[in-house]
Amino acid sequence: YSLPTPRPQGLDQLAIGKTVDLASTSLPPDLSRPISLHFFNPGCPCSRFNIDHIRSLIQSHKSKVRFIAILQGEEPHLSEAFNKLGLNIESVIDSDGSIAKATGVYATPQAVLIDREGRLYYRGNYNNSRYCTTKETEYARIALESLLSGRPPQTFSPQATIAFGCPIPKKIQPRLAPTS
């Protein structure tokens, strides 16, 4: 898991600042607060490594941010596996991949931040460190606090935005650009 997750050929990722098409997803379109999507697969070791970090983000910001776990994977009891973690946030099984497609996520774990206008603010890794213990590279936290402070989206190093972890199941991979 120290190498990047292979990027699907022809991946068409939504650019930062562009509107996320929430209507094409199974997410309730409540934008009363910014949204933090946590793409999680209980079968992915990388998804399990950063649970304590995500728990601290939720505890620090749950009054200002709507946290939603986007469950991925083949496991028949995704919700049960996630609920055992005790994060106490909404969860949605992305069985058709509409949320991964709308946000351009192709691996777990990944963080996606959507501002109150429905625009993509951040998509990327939680941290450089597997267990999210390196304060200087807590990308998702830095982006979340920047969003809550009203600052424009930051440009992060490729370490923040190139996925490391487990690929989204093939049947629900993000939209691909049309081939000519």
Side-chain angles (χ1 to χ4, degrees):
Y1 303 105
S2 61
L3 296 175
T5 305
R7 184 182 171 91
Q9 187 174 4
L11 178 67
D12 181 24
Q13 287 187 308
L14 184 67
I16 301 297
K18 297 294 182 184
T19 300
V20 177
D21 182 10
L22 293 175
S24 70
T25 73
S26 54
L27 282 175
D30 175 6
L31 292 171
S32 59
R33 298 180 286 169
I35 299 172
S36 176
L37 302 178
H38 169 53
F39 283 81
F40 176 81
N41 179 343
C44 176
C46 295
S47 282
R48 295 189 307 266
F49 291 147
N50 70 354
I51 291 302
D52 288 338
H53 179 68
I54 291 159
R55 185 173 283 115
S56 81
L57 288 175
I58 293 166
Q59 289 172 347
S60 297
H61 302 291
K62 66 183 170 189
S63 66
K64 299 175 192 153
V65 177
R66 182 177 170 216
F67 287 92
I68 306 170
I70 308 303
L71 306 180
Q72 304 286 331
E74 303 295 326
E75 192 170 318
H77 303 289
L78 285 172
S79 292
E80 281 178 39
F82 180 74
N83 290 338
K84 285 180 183 177
L85 299 173
L87 295 178
N88 300 319
I89 61 172
E90 295 176 64
S91 64
V92 175
I93 296 174
D94 192 21
S95 59
D96 65 355
S98 64
I99 303 167
K101 290 173 187 175
T103 57
V105 170
Y106 62 94
T108 60
Q110 287 283 285
V112 169
L113 300 176
I114 301 170
D115 69 17
R116 291 181 64 187
E117 285 74 42
R119 295 179 303 232
L120 182 65
Y121 188 87
Y122 174 77
R123 174 190 48 245
N125 299 318
Y126 283 90
N127 198 304
N128 244 3
S129 165
R130 178 176 293 183
Y131 294 99
C132 299
T133 55
T134 306
K135 192 86 168 156
E136 301 78 38
T137 60
E138 287 182 356
Y139 305 119
R141 180 194 52 81
I142 293 166
L144 182 58
E145 290 174 358
S146 180
L147 170 63
L148 292 174
S149 295
R151 294 189 297 264
Q154 293 179 247
T155 301
F156 288 100
S157 72
Q159 266 317 101
T161 57
I162 296 172
F164 289 81
C166 301
I168 299 285
K170 290 248 185 253
K171 67 181 182 173
I172 59 172
Q173 291 230 337
R175 64 179 178 259
L176 300 178
T179 56
S180 45

